[in-house]
């Protein structure tokens, strides 16, 4: 079996002197830090309030997001917007992004089927998250699902064990040197796509909203 070369990573594509999120977004459009850029339609960068108090971090763009170039605009995104509203979080105070900025998929006939990013993809794309946080400086990061949790909270973190709990930002988590991590909190919950796949969708949605209500209370 041929040996696969490790991704070069996104760090060399992240502008060192950017002062606006749009500058990062423009640079990310040319990122070839891992092989996912070859098949994806485009880079899908974060969007929302540049002064967001809360940042939502998901896994990766899906098929709809890949086509439109915006995160969380497909079915999972619509469900997340409903959950944010039902939890009482001000949507205007939110920024939303993904741990991996390109869509990973496989073809099945004429359909593109989601594949979870691997550890190498998560690591390669992490500099973009660090860059986003450096400008956003949020009060709270809501981690959506296992991939985002592994990217931000470490490979041993389990959403099922710790969901809905406010926790201090881990000292081991990578962040810019001047980032005030001591003032930052994190909260993990399920990815909204898990609600769409659940056998009991109503119960899964209620659980997501309950987790987000903890975030809303922290921001109040």
């Amino acid at each position: 079996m041929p040996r696969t070369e490790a991704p070069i990573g996104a760090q060399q594509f992240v502008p060192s002197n950017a002062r606006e999120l749009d500058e990062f977004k423009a640079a990310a459009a040319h990122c070839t830090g891992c092989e996912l850029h070859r098949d994806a339609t485009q880079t899908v960068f974060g969007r929302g309030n540049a002064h967001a108090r809360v940042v939502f971090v998901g896994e990766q763009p899906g098929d709809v997001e890949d086509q439109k170039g915006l995160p969380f605009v497909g079915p999972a995104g619509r469900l997340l917007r409903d959950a944010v509203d039902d939890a009482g979080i001000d949507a205007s105070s939110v920024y939303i992004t993904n741990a991996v900025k390109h869509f990973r998929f496989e073809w099945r006939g004429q359909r593109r089927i989601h594949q979870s990013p691997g550890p190498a993809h998560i690591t390669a794309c992490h500099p973009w998250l660090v860059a986003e946080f450096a400008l956003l400086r949020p009060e709270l990061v809501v981690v959506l699902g296992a991939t985002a949790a592994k990217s931000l909270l470490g490979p041993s973190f389990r959403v099922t064990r710790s969901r809905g709990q406010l926790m201090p930002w881990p000292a081991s988590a990578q962040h810019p040197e001047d980032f005030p991590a001591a003032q930052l909190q994190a909260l993990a919950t399920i990815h909204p796509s898990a609600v769409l796949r659940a056998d009991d969708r109503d119960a899964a949605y209620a659980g997501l909203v309950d987790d987000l209500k903890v975030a809303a209370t922290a921001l109040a």
Side-chain angles (χ1 to χ4, degrees):
M1 182 179 293
R3 193 171 185 177
T4 302
E5 292 186 9
I8 60 174
Q11 188 58 56
Q12 63 183 285
F13 301 95
V14 178
S16 60
N17 57 351
R19 298 182 180 274
E20 303 288 342
L21 288 165
D22 283 346
E23 295 177 67
F24 286 136
K25 182 177 180 180
H30 305 287
C31 183
T32 58
C34 75
E35 83 282 0
L36 296 185
H37 77 278
R38 297 173 189 163
D39 296 323
T41 304
Q42 58 194 314
T43 307
V44 181
F45 207 68
R47 66 186 175 100
N49 190 337
H51 304 285
R53 298 182 63 203
V54 57
V55 175
F56 286 81
V57 181
E59 179 191 82
Q60 67 167 358
D63 183 72
V64 176
E65 289 81 4
D66 174 71
Q67 295 177 53
K68 294 188 175 181
L70 295 169
F72 285 89
V73 292
R78 291 193 292 272
L79 187 145
L80 179 61
R81 287 195 296 275
D82 290 342
V84 166
D85 289 341
D86 288 344
I89 296 174
D90 179 5
S92 68
S93 68
V94 166
Y95 181 89
I96 192 159
T97 190
N98 282 301
V100 174
K101 312 300 191 193
H102 285 112
F103 180 34
R104 189 187 191 200
F105 63 92
E106 63 178 1
W107 285 104
R108 292 184 190 170
Q110 299 299 311
R111 297 179 62 204
R112 301 192 303 174
I113 304 301
H114 164 278
Q115 281 191 308
S116 294
H121 304 125
I122 295 169
T123 300
C125 212
H126 194 71
W128 289 118
L129 276 183
V130 174
E132 286 174 295
F133 285 4
L135 289 186
L136 290 164
R137 296 178 174 265
E139 299 171 33
L140 174 65
V141 175
V142 176
V143 180
L144 302 169
T147 296
K150 290 175 183 177
S151 175
L152 292 171
L153 304 176
S156 64
F157 186 87
R158 296 292 179 268
V159 174
T160 51
R161 287 204 301 258
S162 303
R163 61 176 293 183
Q165 301 176 24
L166 278 176
M167 63 194 86
W169 192 253
S172 59
Q174 185 181 0
H175 54 77
E177 291 183 2
D178 63 344
F179 185 67
Q183 303 170 27
L184 179 63
Q185 292 182 299
L187 181 143
T189 186
I190 58 173
H191 195 283
S193 62
V195 177
L196 297 175
R197 296 191 302 266
D199 293 332
D200 189 340
R201 190 177 293 186
D202 289 342
Y205 179 77
L208 173 61
V209 171
D210 285 345
D211 291 344
L212 296 185
K213 284 180 178 178
V214 176
T217 299
L219 293 167

